[in-house]
Amino acid sequence: MDFIYDGFESKSLSNIWNQKLLAPNSFEIQSKVVRSGKSAIKIVLNPGDNFQPKEKSSKATERNELVEQKELISSENQDYSYKFSIFLPEDFPIVDTRLVLAQWKQKDENNAATIDNPILALRYVNGELFITLQTTEKKNKIFSTTEEIRGKWLDFKFEVKFSRKNNGFIHIWLNNKQIVTYSGETAYNKAHGYPLEGKFYFKMGLYRDCMNESMTVYFDDYNKTQSINNS
């Protein structure tokens, strides 16, 4: 995997995406709201889509997300760059409900993980756009803004190296301005049930605690590259 790109220019969804977390009729390749080219993907989350019941430590959830295919999953101690553009409509709900727009999860290959939260997540809650990093029981906020971000395209670039050692890093740009420079652990370790030589997969869309209101988001210009200098 050297370069993966999806500008959502085809009538159907690209085969780089697994549709297992997309409810029927939850997405559309459309041309009304576009970052570049002729089209972008629109994802709508309605109450009850991909419902997951409440568990001991979490609320009931619902989601519609694009998931990168298994063969594109990232490896520990490798350098990757992810870019994508996201648009929230001007009337997007401002609610105090957990909402994740994009996330990187560490693969629980043996179903033994004691923590299942994403390593890295882009979130929007109660008018705050923020990014979290979690490698232990504690979730850390590494970026936050309460500026109005609805009704405009947001261009993100994430440079990441997932590692349970101190050589990991996360560098993030928003609209060509660097907003995060982090070095250190960027993966769960074996003590949390994750095997050595970790694997990490990317998802983007709408994932939230259950609520009685629909949400709509648009994505465009997704690309992922792997550095040729990895060792």
Side-chain angles (χ1 to χ4, degrees):
M1 189 279 296
D2 294 320
F3 178 77
I4 301 296
Y5 176 76
D6 192 356
F8 303 100
E9 296 296 305
S10 301
K11 293 182 179 180
S12 58
L13 192 61
S14 167
N15 60 9
I16 72 172
W17 301 112
N18 188 313
Q19 300 184 37
K20 64 182 180 180
L21 296 181
L22 288 171
N25 303 314
S26 64
F27 70 94
E28 174 189 5
I29 308 296
Q30 52 77 56
S31 58
K32 292 182 179 179
V33 180
V34 176
R35 180 65 182 92
S36 70
K38 296 181 179 180
S39 56
I41 190 169
K42 173 184 178 181
I43 298 177
V44 178
L45 177 60
N46 292 310
D49 285 351
N50 287 304
F51 173 78
Q52 290 184 304
K54 177 180 179 181
E55 297 180 352
K56 290 182 179 180
S57 59
S58 65
K59 298 179 180 179
T61 62
E62 49 204 5
R63 70 176 78 198
N64 280 317
E65 294 177 297
L66 297 169
V67 185
E68 67 177 348
Q69 292 284 12
K70 183 177 180 181
E71 59 268 23
L72 302 179
I73 288 177
S74 300
S75 298
E76 189 171 351
N77 294 313
Q78 302 290 307
D79 300 0
Y80 297 90
S81 173
Y82 298 80
K83 296 179 182 178
F84 57 88
S85 296
I86 183 171
F87 181 95
L88 300 182
E90 291 183 355
D91 61 352
F92 192 90
I94 300 295
V95 290
D96 191 16
T97 300
R98 176 178 56 157
L99 172 66
V100 181
L101 299 169
Q103 57 179 303
W104 287 258
K105 294 285 297 278
Q106 188 164 344
K107 191 169 178 61
D108 180 13
E109 298 184 70
N110 300 322
N111 197 29
T114 58
I115 305 174
D116 190 37
N117 295 337
I119 290 289
L120 187 61
L122 174 64
R123 304 169 185 266
Y124 186 65
V125 179
N126 204 24
E128 178 189 11
L129 180 74
F130 60 103
I131 298 170
T132 57
L133 170 65
Q134 184 169 359
T135 60
T136 65
E137 292 82 359
K138 182 181 179 181
K139 187 185 286 94
N140 296 301
K141 191 179 293 187
I142 58 175
F143 170 77
S144 172
T145 180
T146 55
E147 293 182 10
E148 178 62 82
I149 54 92
R150 297 175 300 170
K152 62 186 75 173
W153 280 100
L154 305 176
D155 301 329
F156 282 98
K157 177 182 177 181
F158 289 75
E159 291 183 349
V160 298
K161 180 177 183 177
F162 296 110
S163 174
R164 64 196 72 201
K165 300 178 182 179
N166 287 327
N167 64 340
F169 62 77
I170 298 171
H171 303 150
I172 306 173
W173 289 259
L174 172 57
N175 296 337
N176 295 316
K177 178 182 178 182
Q178 189 159 10
I179 57 174
V180 173
T181 302
Y182 172 86
S183 298
E185 293 183 20
T186 52
Y188 292 114
N189 60 39
K190 192 175 181 181
H192 296 299
Y194 288 91
L196 296 175
E197 304 301 325
K199 302 294 182 181
F200 305 82
Y201 60 97
F202 175 75
K203 302 187 289 182
M204 65 184 189
L206 295 163
Y207 168 64
R208 71 184 186 188
D209 294 335
C210 292
M211 57 179 289
N212 293 320
E213 189 172 0
S214 297
M215 290 179 172
T216 299
V217 67
Y218 299 82
F219 290 95
D220 204 354
D221 292 339
Y222 170 82
N223 75 61
K224 176 183 179 180
T225 57
Q226 180 177 352
S227 171
I228 61 174
N229 296 318
N230 287 316
S231 59

